Amino acid sequence: MDKIEHKYIKVQGLNLHVAETGTGPNVVVFLHGFPEIWYSWRHQMVAVAAAGFRAIAPDYRGYGLSDPPAEPEKASFKDITNDLLATLDHLGINKVFLVAKDFGARPAYLFALLHPERVSGVITLGVPFIPPGTAEFHKSLPEGFYISRWQVCAVEPGRAEADFGRHDAKTVVRNIYILFSRSEIPIAPENKEIMDLVDASTPLPPWLTAEDLATYGALYEKSGFRTALQVPYRSIHEKFSLPELTVKVPALLILGEKDYFLKFPGIEDYIRSGKVKDFVPNLEIIRLSEGSHFVQEQSPEEVDQLVLTFLNKHV
């Protein structure tokens, strides 16, 4: 970890935190999910830097060490793609590989559609390209579905904030890591909250140390969860003006077979049927039989090798 340096870049009036290592001519930008942060890419950053690549991992606005937007409730996926473009311009980087996890897949693919000349390839972990406007999972799942609970609720506004607010940031991250490591979709009974689904005695996943959790907790203690609840959960139905919906750059999708996301209605069929390749024709799919939602932290050496193989193939 001491090889990773940290800096702040002024982007659209905000100081955004960027972790960086390596000095190679080819650049890899890592985009995190939730409840992750730049730190979730610690293994992959060191691995690609050792292989001659320059690795960069930002904290999105309102996440971790980056400044929050003035109005977190108005944060959007467009902000993330615009921040990414401004960051690359600030650093004088013309073209990058994008490696994204969880909801980071959306800004990665949006960026590849909006700025194809700036992207050499896209790797996503856990989440394929899903055309904007087609995510309707909540309609087929119970009211206690975690995304429904974390969205703005007209009947009970502030329910997610109240649920999170009962705990310190480290406990919230701990509970979500445990929940998302399971193979079942987190769904709470009507009379319980999402945080209630994890008992205080439940151990951490074996690949997540107490030190790792403390790092995540400190980062979210700094940022809180206001922006994180907005993006991705309350921005799912954001509209975009896209030139087309075909991603033409090479792409890789790494799936953990035990990732609960594969049980979202229609997702497994969308991938197995090959429909996903209608939008990403140059897509390779690799499945890890024991992989959970956090494959890059659970099996870092395996994921490192898959990432490096793709990078070296398309550099």
Side-chain angles (χ1 to χ4, degrees):
M1 283 313 111
D2 55 356
K3 297 178 181 178
I4 297 177
E5 299 178 346
H6 301 268
K7 65 177 68 172
Y8 289 87
I9 297 173
K10 195 79 168 182
V11 172
Q12 303 189 80
L14 301 176
N15 287 311
L16 300 186
H17 168 254
V18 174
E20 182 173 352
T21 186
T23 57
N26 298 299
V27 183
V28 186
V29 175
F30 294 88
L31 302 176
H32 64 78
F34 177 77
E36 296 152 309
I37 214 77
W38 77 265
Y39 184 76
S40 64
W41 297 113
R42 59 198 179 280
H43 305 296
Q44 288 70 45
M45 291 181 72
V46 171
V48 302
F53 294 86
R54 181 181 177 187
I56 296 172
D59 287 343
Y60 305 138
R61 56 171 61 201
Y63 276 80
L65 298 174
S66 290
D67 284 351
E71 298 179 275
E73 290 74 20
K74 294 184 179 180
S76 67
F77 280 99
K78 289 189 185 78
D79 290 331
I80 296 178
T81 57
N82 290 339
D83 288 347
L84 176 56
L85 179 63
T87 298
L88 297 183
D89 288 345
H90 179 93
L91 295 173
I93 298 170
N94 293 322
K95 203 164 189 177
V96 297
F97 287 95
L98 295 174
V99 182
K101 163 73 170 48
D102 187 58
F103 84 83
R106 176 176 272 199
Y109 274 122
L110 286 173
F111 193 84
L113 288 168
L114 292 166
H115 308 285
E117 75 285 354
R118 306 294 293 267
V119 180
S120 299
V122 177
I123 301 173
T124 64
L125 282 66
V127 176
F129 174 72
I130 299 173
T134 61
E136 300 290 343
F137 312 122
H138 63 288
K139 292 184 177 180
S140 305
L141 291 166
E143 171 275 335
F145 174 44
Y146 76 97
I147 291 181
S148 297
R149 286 286 184 88
W150 292 349
Q151 291 175 336
V152 176
C153 177
V155 179
E156 295 181 74
R159 183 169 183 172
E161 286 84 348
D163 185 19
F164 284 19
R166 294 179 295 148
H167 309 279
D168 61 24
K170 185 169 79 169
T171 301
V172 173
V173 174
R174 169 191 173 275
N175 290 354
I176 297 173
Y177 253 89
I178 290 170
L179 278 176
F180 285 8
S181 296
R182 297 170 179 171
S183 59
E184 299 300 323
I185 299 172
I187 297 173
E190 188 175 343
N191 61 343
K192 282 193 173 185
E193 303 302 325
I194 299 300
M195 289 295 109
D196 295 331
L197 296 177
V198 179
D199 188 88
S201 64
T202 304
L204 289 172
W207 39 264
L208 189 73
T209 68
E211 291 75 19
D212 292 334
L213 179 59
T215 298
Y216 280 118
L219 291 168
Y220 276 99
E221 194 70 49
K222 185 333 187 138
S223 65
F225 297 96
R226 285 181 68 190
T227 309
L229 284 168
Q230 173 64 24
V231 182
Y233 302 105
R234 296 170 182 176
S235 302
I236 285 177
H237 302 296
E238 186 178 338
K239 298 185 184 303
F240 304 91
S241 178
L242 298 171
E244 62 175 323
L245 286 178
T246 303
V247 178
K248 296 178 180 177
V249 300
L252 171 66
L253 172 61
I254 301 173
L255 294 174
E257 291 278 22
K258 296 184 178 179
D259 188 337
Y260 73 89
F261 181 71
L262 290 177
K263 294 186 178 177
F264 275 37
I267 286 296
E268 186 67 88
D269 182 63
Y270 173 66
I271 296 169
R272 286 197 183 277
S273 70
K275 180 69 175 174
V276 63
K277 293 189 178 183
D278 291 351
F279 302 100
V280 191
N282 195 7
L283 175 68
E284 179 183 4
I285 301 172
I286 295 177
R287 292 172 176 263
L288 304 183
S289 61
E290 297 302 313
S292 71
H293 190 64
F294 301 101
V295 288
Q296 87 280 20
E297 295 183 271
Q298 177 189 10
S299 305
E301 292 182 0
E302 192 170 5
V303 171
D304 291 352
Q305 190 55 55
L306 292 174
V307 169
L308 285 170
T309 298
F310 178 88
L311 296 177
N312 288 321
K313 181 179 179 181
H314 297 290
V315 71

